[in-house]
């Protein structure tokens, strides 16, 4: 009684083709034969290669297809209508983000001295940042940002999580504003012939002044921060770039 039951799978196995190197084939339709053009008139795609005689569609690099709004060469509708609206992209503030984890790693490696105030110039000289653009923003990756020692850091802006992490370790965060010229004098003071020729720090414009007057942002112009800086023996006002770069 077992013989017929064993014979059926054996017969099915003989009719099936097992997978091996000798019978591997690509999936149907996955490989297409390339169109060979310009190989003689007998192929049907010789001489002009199927593009016809002259014209726009026969030119090299021109498929004869235009983008949306093309109207055959006449001035399209989107160019005939007047412009409206505006954008403030050229006035945007481009900041470089620096994470607390990176600062802690630089401190552990001895590239940054945590016992001294950490400024934008400190980050630049230690090669933690390559460019400053309009300033540096201190970022804390939520709960992962931790410091093993207190630090005093001065940046352009700081996130709430970064402020909590630094102050939780007993440190101090100060947000200060530099314009392009003041930032250049801070990072590269040797471009001026004499330290007395370095420009003084400019005050923030009216739109930025509200941010640095608010102690929640740890703005350096807020009364609470001014008091803390005096207690720590640090400059509180708009000093010259020479004094700021010497810190």
């Amino acid at each position: 009684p077992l013989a017929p039951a064993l014979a059926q799978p054996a017969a099915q196995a003989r009719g099936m083709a097992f997978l091996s190197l000798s019978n591997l084939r690509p999936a149907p339709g996955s490989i297409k034969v390339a169109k060979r053009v310009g190989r003689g008139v007998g192929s049907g795609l010789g001489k002009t290669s199927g593009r016809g005689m002259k014209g726009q569609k026969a030119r090299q690099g021109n498929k004869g297809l235009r983008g949306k709004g093309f109207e055959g060469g006449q001035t399209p509708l989107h160019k005939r209508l007047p412009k409206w609206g505006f954008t403030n992209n050229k006035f945007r503030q481009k900041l470089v983000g620096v994470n607390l984890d990176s600062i802690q790693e630089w401190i552990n490696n001895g590239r940054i001295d945590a016992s001294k105030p950490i400024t934008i110039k400190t980050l630049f000289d230690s090669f933690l940042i390559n460019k400053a653009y309009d300033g540096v923003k201190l970022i804390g990756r939520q709960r992962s940002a931790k410091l093993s020692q207190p630090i005093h850091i001065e940046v352009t802006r700081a996130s709430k999580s970064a402020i909590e992490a630094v102050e939780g370790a007993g440190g101090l965060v100060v947000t200060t504003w530099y314009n392009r010229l003041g930032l250049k004098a801070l990072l590269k003071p040797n471009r001026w012939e004499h330290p007395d020729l370095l420009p003084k720090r400019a005050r923030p414009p009216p739109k930025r002044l509200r941010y640095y007057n608010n102690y929640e942002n740890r703005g350096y112009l807020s009364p609470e921060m001014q008091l803390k800086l005096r207690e720590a023996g640090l400059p509180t006002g708009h000093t010259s770039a020479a004094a700021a770069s010497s810190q």
Side-chain angles (χ1 to χ4, degrees):
L2 296 177
L6 295 175
Q8 292 179 358
Q12 294 176 358
R14 284 194 297 270
M16 295 174 59
F18 291 97
L19 184 64
S20 63
L21 294 176
S22 62
N23 58 11
L24 285 177
R25 299 289 184 275
S30 62
I31 296 180
K32 297 182 180 180
V33 180
K35 183 187 294 186
R36 300 180 75 247
V37 296
R39 298 297 188 271
V41 294
S43 64
L45 295 174
K47 191 185 175 185
T48 56
S49 302
R51 293 191 179 191
M53 297 292 292
K54 301 182 181 179
Q56 183 182 15
K57 295 184 180 180
R59 305 308 176 192
Q60 184 178 8
N62 192 335
K63 298 182 179 180
L65 302 176
R66 298 302 184 188
K68 294 181 180 179
F70 182 68
E71 299 181 9
Q74 71 178 12
T75 305
L77 180 65
H78 68 274
K79 289 190 176 182
R80 294 197 300 267
L81 296 177
K83 298 180 181 180
W84 70 92
F86 63 93
T87 176
N88 282 333
N89 286 339
K90 64 179 180 179
F91 299 111
R92 66 180 179 179
Q93 194 177 18
K94 189 175 183 181
L95 302 177
V96 180
V98 175
N99 200 280
L100 284 176
D101 297 339
S102 302
I103 295 178
Q104 184 61 57
E105 182 180 356
W106 249 239
I107 293 174
N108 296 338
N109 294 335
R111 297 188 177 187
I112 293 179
D113 187 3
S115 61
K116 298 180 180 179
I118 301 174
T119 61
I120 300 177
K121 180 173 175 58
T122 307
L123 303 177
F124 183 79
D125 292 342
S126 63
F127 297 100
L128 184 57
I129 59 174
N130 297 325
K131 294 182 180 180
Y133 297 108
D134 293 324
V136 174
K137 181 174 181 179
L138 187 63
I139 303 172
R141 294 176 182 171
Q142 298 178 354
R143 299 180 180 178
S144 63
K146 294 182 180 179
L147 293 173
S148 57
Q149 71 285 314
I151 62 173
H152 169 219
I153 186 166
E154 179 183 302
V155 289
T156 308
R157 294 205 174 197
S159 64
K160 292 184 178 179
S161 57
I163 293 174
E164 292 176 358
V166 173
E167 293 182 351
L172 179 64
V173 179
V174 183
T175 57
T176 60
W177 186 83
Y178 288 93
N179 59 357
R180 286 290 182 96
L181 181 61
L183 198 59
K184 182 179 179 180
L186 175 68
L187 300 181
K188 300 177 180 180
N190 55 349
R191 293 196 173 186
W192 278 260
E193 294 181 358
H194 195 271
D196 295 338
L197 299 177
L198 289 171
K200 293 184 178 181
R201 288 178 56 181
R203 286 190 175 273
K207 290 186 178 180
R208 311 283 185 192
L209 191 60
R210 184 180 301 177
Y211 181 89
Y212 296 103
N213 279 333
N214 191 353
Y215 180 71
E216 293 182 0
N217 304 324
R218 300 306 184 264
Y220 72 113
L221 296 178
S222 62
E224 296 88 348
M225 184 56 66
Q226 292 278 318
L227 182 60
K228 282 190 174 183
L229 293 176
R230 287 173 184 170
E231 293 176 351
L234 298 172
T236 59
H238 292 269
T239 58
S240 64
S245 61
S246 63
Q247 295 178 4

